[in-house]
């Protein structure tokens, strides 16, 4: 029977597919770490109190990248080059979502609108990350090899999502509500397209590595297209709603460390 658990288990059990999975994840987390560190350095003067939380977000992303690299090292594997069609972060940038890297390489301070754009982009992508890690946590939280990493990263992603909700609501109360809703919708609709394309690309690469029969690949592709159709119709709305999280100040304080991995 084809299930999320059996699919992930197959990928995790094979060295080459596991190496590709971890390399893609590590690359995305490292890119997110760089982006957040640059944004923290360029926060406009009137929002400097936000800088430590953005830096904490970036430090968490860097930690996740180290964890994925450590999981590979534990199995004697080296990272592989991430195929361009699986590079979620860079594909989002090419679709104009978030802050362009050229802007982040500039030393000019960001504007408040730039910060709102960053937070809206993060709210959408952290929704996806939180859901993906929740799926892995549900099936692999007790796995002796990856369980601890899954639990740690999942908890961090939940904190990141809570932080985005709280900060966006703060900006909404300050008069940026209309811009926030417009940016959230644009980000969500672009993200679901990129996620579909990346998912299809990852499945194609995994299929070649694991020698999946055409019927299996076709079923998986149909499932990805069905998910996109649902998200395009109504599912994107979960990415644009804002509610005050139960846990306030989720990114206050220093980042947690992971010495057992890195």
């Amino acid at each position: 029977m084809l299930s999320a658990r059996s699919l992930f288990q197959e990928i995790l059990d094979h060295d080459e597919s596991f190496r590709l999975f971890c390399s893609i994840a590590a690359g995305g987390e490292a890119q997110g770490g760089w982006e957040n560190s640059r944004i923290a350095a360029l926060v406009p003067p009137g929002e400097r109190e936000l800088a430590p939380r953005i830096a904490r977000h970036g430090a968490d992303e860097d930690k996740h990248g180290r964890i994925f690299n450590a999981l590979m090292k534990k199995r004697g594997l080296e990272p592989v080059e991430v195929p361009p069609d699986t590079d979620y972060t860079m594909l989002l940038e090419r679709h104009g979502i978030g802050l362009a890297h050229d802007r982040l390489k500039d030393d000019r301070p960001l504007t408040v609108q730039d910060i709102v754009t960053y937070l809206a982009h993060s709210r959408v992508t952290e929704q996806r990350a939180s859901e993906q890690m929740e799926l892995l946590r549900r099936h692999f939280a007790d796995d002796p090899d990856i369980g601890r990493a899954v639990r740690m990263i999942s908890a961090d992603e939940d904190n990141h999502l809570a932080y985005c909700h709280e900060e966006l609501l703060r900006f909404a109360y300050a008069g940026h509500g209309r811009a926030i809703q417009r940016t959230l919708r644009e980000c969500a609709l672009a993200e679901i397209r990129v996620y579909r394309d990346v998912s299809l690309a990852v499945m194609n690469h995994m299929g070649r590595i694991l020698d999946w029969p055409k019927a299996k690949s076709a079923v998986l592709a149909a499932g990805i297209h069905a998910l996109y159709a649902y998200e395009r119709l109504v599912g994107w709305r979960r990415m644009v709603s804002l509610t005050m999280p139960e846990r306030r100040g989720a990114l206050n304080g220093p980042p947690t460390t992971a010495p057992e991995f890195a």
Side-chain angles (χ1 to χ4, degrees), residues 96-136:
I97 301 304
L99 300 179
H101 286 185
D102 286 345
R103 178 65 183 89
L104 295 182
K105 292 175 182 176
D106 194 326
D107 287 332
R108 289 179 295 117
L110 297 172
T111 66
V112 171
Q113 183 55 52
D114 288 332
I115 297 299
V116 168
T117 298
Y118 148 71
L119 287 168
H121 167 246
S122 295
R123 186 262 177 271
V124 170
T125 56
E126 292 299 338
Q127 178 79 37
R128 183 75 70 186
S130 178
E131 291 172 352
Q132 288 182 318
M133 291 311 302
E134 171 58 28
L135 177 63
L136 286 175

Side-chain angles (χ1 to χ4, degrees), residues 2 29 41 80 86 97 103 112 118 188 210 222 225-226 228-229 234 242:
L2 190 59
E29 297 286 0
V80 296
T86 69
I97 301 304
R103 178 65 183 89
V112 171
Y118 148 71
L210 297 169
H225 284 295
Y228 170 73
V234 295
L242 292 175

